[in-house]
Amino acid sequence: MSTMLILGLETSCDETAAAVVADGREILSNVVASQATVHQKYGGVVPEIASRRHLETINAVIDQALAEAGIGFADLAAFAVTYGPGLVGALLIGVSTAKTLAYAAGKPLLAVNHVDAHVAANYLEHEVTFPAVCLVASGGHTSLLYLRRRGEAELLGATRDDAAGEAFDKIARILQLGYPGGPAVEREAVRGNPEAYLFPRAKALQDGNFDFSFSGLKSSVINTVHNLRQHGEPLSTADVAASFQAAVVDILVEKTALAADKTAAQTVLLSGGVAANTLLRRRLAEVLSAADRLLLCPRPELCTDNAAMVACAGYDLYRQKVFAGLDLNASPGLDIFQQ
Ligand code: KG4
Ligand code: ZN
């Protein structure tokens, strides 16, 4: 059987990414051009700037992905692209590029849901036993999914307000730690005491459902910081970062472990940018292993936005013969169930 090579493209937020993946498993190249330094001075992603940057960068990123894989366009079987959810202008750059390439090469176009792609990042590294539960925690989502099998997801719960990564980004901004906030808060937290402040763990949601809420926690951290500053009291950024991180991790771990219990899933997958957080990986693995459950997680560079995960999710669509037409549009508000 010949190898099937898929080019993945990802431009839903502030990473311009292209990757070549063989048979939905073997990464031949995985190029990510991050715009983080561009958006840093604004403390968050500026959509117009993100779109413009994608446009300026995408051709070079694709050329690099093909060169590193040692292949040309003619070797590709299909083109997979994230078409939602995400920033509409940013998504449009990836979608138009993939459509153009698919048309020019006369090869299929595969429309990938970004959340599915984060789940699929696990399939690049692990043999997953189903059923499984997956926590996708990123800058745009915090969702708990029940996976009956590969490519078949049911939503168990999601955030009712901010996404976990968004909360990290906002707290980093208040603490003036820079953007993106997750890695910055994590670095700062290393020197801090996680018990210095007892921030709330969304008690209203502790009634057996699988939804999350981070806005109360975020407000509590912001109020604490403002009060200390107003009263001229000493503020340990490291202690606030550590206490905030501990609260987010507690919330994510508790709900994910509960979902695994309720669904009797032996395998739990973790993905999305927040999955790069070391404390989250460690605490979740500990809690799950105490219940004889296995935690699988992609390596950190496959947790944050990349195109290898898009090519991997695209491979599943290809096998199911779910091809997109050249009228494919960006779908910024796409939810997890839509293909
Ligand atoms: O998946 P991703 O790259 O993009 C979205 O789909 O949103 O996730 C980015 C998010 C950002 O909010 C970033 O602050 C967060 O993931 N993040 C982290 C860490 N690395 C990235 N959050 C906590 N700890 C980290 N080490
Ligand atoms: Zn993402």
Side-chain angles (χ1 to χ4, degrees):
M1 218 173 70
S2 66
T3 308
M4 187 199 287
L5 301 179
I6 293 183
L7 178 77
L9 294 181
E10 161 62 44
T11 63
S12 67
C13 191
D14 63 340
E15 262 93 29
T16 317
V20 178
V21 174
D23 296 328
R25 184 70 195 247
E26 193 194 344
I27 301 175
L28 301 189
S29 63
N30 190 17
V31 181
V32 180
S34 172
Q35 305 176 1
T37 49
V38 179
H39 300 285
Q40 223 154 30
K41 61 175 172 290
Y42 307 104
V45 178
V46 182
E48 288 305 320
I49 296 178
S51 317
R52 187 175 293 264
R53 268 293 159 131
H54 285 310
L55 187 58
E56 289 164 356
T57 319
I58 194 154
N59 287 343
V61 167
I62 293 171
D63 286 346
Q64 193 183 335
L66 293 176
E68 285 181 14
I71 62 156
F73 279 112
D75 300 309
L76 292 165
F79 298 87
V81 62
T82 299
Y83 78 112
L87 302 170
V88 65
L91 288 164
L92 274 170
I93 306 299
V95 169
S96 331
T97 306
K99 279 164 46 168
T100 308
L101 293 174
Y103 177 69
K107 300 280 173 62
L109 176 68
L110 305 162
V112 173
N113 180 318
H114 185 76
V115 179
D116 283 342
H118 273 303
V119 176
N122 281 283
Y123 308 142
L124 288 166
E125 299 210 299
H126 306 295
E127 276 311 326
V128 176
T129 311
F130 294 97
V133 158
C134 182
L135 171 68
V136 180
S138 72
H141 316 273
T142 307
S143 305
L144 259 176
L145 307 169
Y146 177 71
L147 305 171
R148 210 170 298 283
R149 57 182 69 85
R150 192 167 160 160
E152 204 179 300
E154 181 187 322
L155 188 67
L156 296 173
T159 183
R160 294 191 188 174
D161 37 61
D162 295 348
E166 197 181 347
F168 268 100
D169 293 336
K170 284 183 183 153
I171 297 312
R173 203 162 159 174
I174 284 289
L175 296 176
Q176 290 154 352
L177 294 174
Y179 174 85
V185 169
E186 178 166 21
R187 274 192 304 274
E188 188 70 13
V190 171
R191 299 182 292 106
N193 171 11
E195 290 168 9
Y197 301 95
L198 185 61
F199 293 128
R201 268 83 167 152
K203 294 212 168 17
L205 297 177
Q206 290 176 358
D207 54 1
N209 69 54
F210 301 116
D211 283 346
F212 301 92
S213 168
F214 295 101
S215 72
L217 166 63
K218 183 188 70 186
S219 303
S220 170
V221 177
I222 292 173
N223 289 341
T224 303
V225 171
H226 281 166
N227 280 338
L228 290 171
R229 280 183 183 151
Q230 259 166 13
H231 294 105
E233 288 174 31
L235 166 70
S236 161
T237 312
D239 284 351
V240 175
S243 303
F244 161 74
Q245 180 180 248
V248 176
V249 167
D250 276 356
I251 295 166
L252 293 174
V253 169
E254 189 195 312
K255 291 282 166 159
T256 308
L258 184 69
D261 273 349
K262 285 272 170 67
T263 59
Q266 289 306 115
T267 310
V268 174
L269 311 177
L270 185 58
S271 68
V274 182
N277 186 278
T278 313
L279 182 69
L280 174 61
R281 294 160 86 106
R282 198 180 66 226
R283 289 276 301 120
L284 192 53
E286 280 166 8
V287 169
L288 292 172
S289 84
D292 260 347
R293 298 203 155 86
L294 178 68
L295 175 68
L296 298 176
C297 188
R299 58 182 187 266
E301 65 266 34
L302 294 177
C303 288
T304 45
D305 286 352
N306 66 87
M309 67 183 192
V310 177
C312 178
Y315 176 74
D316 287 346
L317 295 173
Y318 191 101
R319 283 191 311 174
Q320 293 158 17
K321 299 190 171 36
V322 180
F323 302 122
L326 291 175
D327 58 350
L328 178 70
N329 203 351
S331 188
L334 188 71
D335 78 24
I336 180 74
F337 299 112
Q338 290 169 279
Q339 270 310 339

